[in-house]
Amino acid sequence: MNAQESTSTRPYLIRALYEWCTDNGFTPYVAVRVDDSVQVPREFVHDGEIVLNISFDATSSLQLGNDFIEFKARFGGKPRDILVPVGRVIAIYARENGQGMAFPPPVDSLVAAPSSSAVLAPVAPVADVVESGASVEDRVVQLVPAVDVGDDEPPKPTPGPAGGRPSLKRVK
């Protein structure tokens, strides 16, 4: 099995961050890019997105599956069945501190108009950029600075904050 045939990592990351939020007493929220495949109350959708509280207290029958996030919740006092395809989730995070993870937006929501100073390049397959079975046309792209054809040297990495080696900062 190669990387193209393996299952998406997105549902596993969503479940892991949900568990991290609940273990630490945080409220897990998911941001969802809404289209016709998403079953949510449309009156709460703003700019094509909705943020959903998926905590134990706010939902019933929550199922974080590999293909869909399903649960029942009340909106304005009315019970609703919610169904979100995992591929439409653009972020999961803790309400209290904003820590979490953002995912590449769904392919249909990308609007790329390359300018003379940018070119399109494929994004590395991190956290489910290309679903299995996707064609080359379905790949996610991002704008990157154009490289001058006359440059023979690759760009040099930017040094860390002290001008030396880059370093990681641990955030608690």
Side-chain angles (χ1 to χ4, degrees), residues 166-170:
S167 61
L168 293 175
K169 180 180 176 184
R170 184 175 179 186

Side-chain angles (χ1 to χ4, degrees), residues 14-61:
I14 291 170
R15 285 192 292 269
L17 286 165
Y18 174 84
E19 187 174 327
W20 174 82
C21 284
T22 57
D23 286 353
N24 287 285
F26 297 137
T27 309
Y29 276 21
V30 290
V32 178
R33 188 76 173 151
V34 177
D35 71 354
D36 291 337
S37 68
V38 178
Q39 183 179 331
V40 295
R42 300 295 181 183
E43 62 269 25
F44 295 98
V45 174
H46 300 287
D47 297 327
E49 295 180 1
I50 189 169
V51 176
L52 300 167
N53 177 348
I54 59 170
S55 69
F56 179 78
D57 294 337
T59 64
S60 70
S61 305

Side-chain angles (χ1 to χ4, degrees), residues 45-120:
V45 174
H46 300 287
D47 297 327
E49 295 180 1
I50 189 169
V51 176
L52 300 167
N53 177 348
I54 59 170
S55 69
F56 179 78
D57 294 337
T59 64
S60 70
S61 305
L62 176 66
Q63 294 181 5
L64 300 173
N66 285 347
D67 297 319
F68 296 97
I69 296 174
E70 301 177 68
F71 59 93
K72 293 176 175 41
R74 290 187 169 274
F75 289 84
K78 295 180 182 179
R80 305 280 185 106
D81 290 325
I82 307 300
L83 180 71
V84 177
V86 169
R88 304 302 299 178
V89 174
I90 55 177
I92 179 168
Y93 60 95
R95 180 191 72 190
E96 291 78 5
N97 61 15
Q99 289 185 330
M101 180 178 287
F103 300 100
V107 174
D108 65 333
S109 68
L110 292 177
V111 178
S115 67
S116 60
S117 64
V119 295
L120 293 176

Side-chain angles (χ1 to χ4, degrees), residues 124-142:
V126 175
D128 179 35
V129 172
V130 179
E131 296 287 336
S132 61
S135 67
V136 174
E137 294 78 30
D138 295 332
R139 291 181 190 234
V140 176
V141 293
Q142 72 178 10

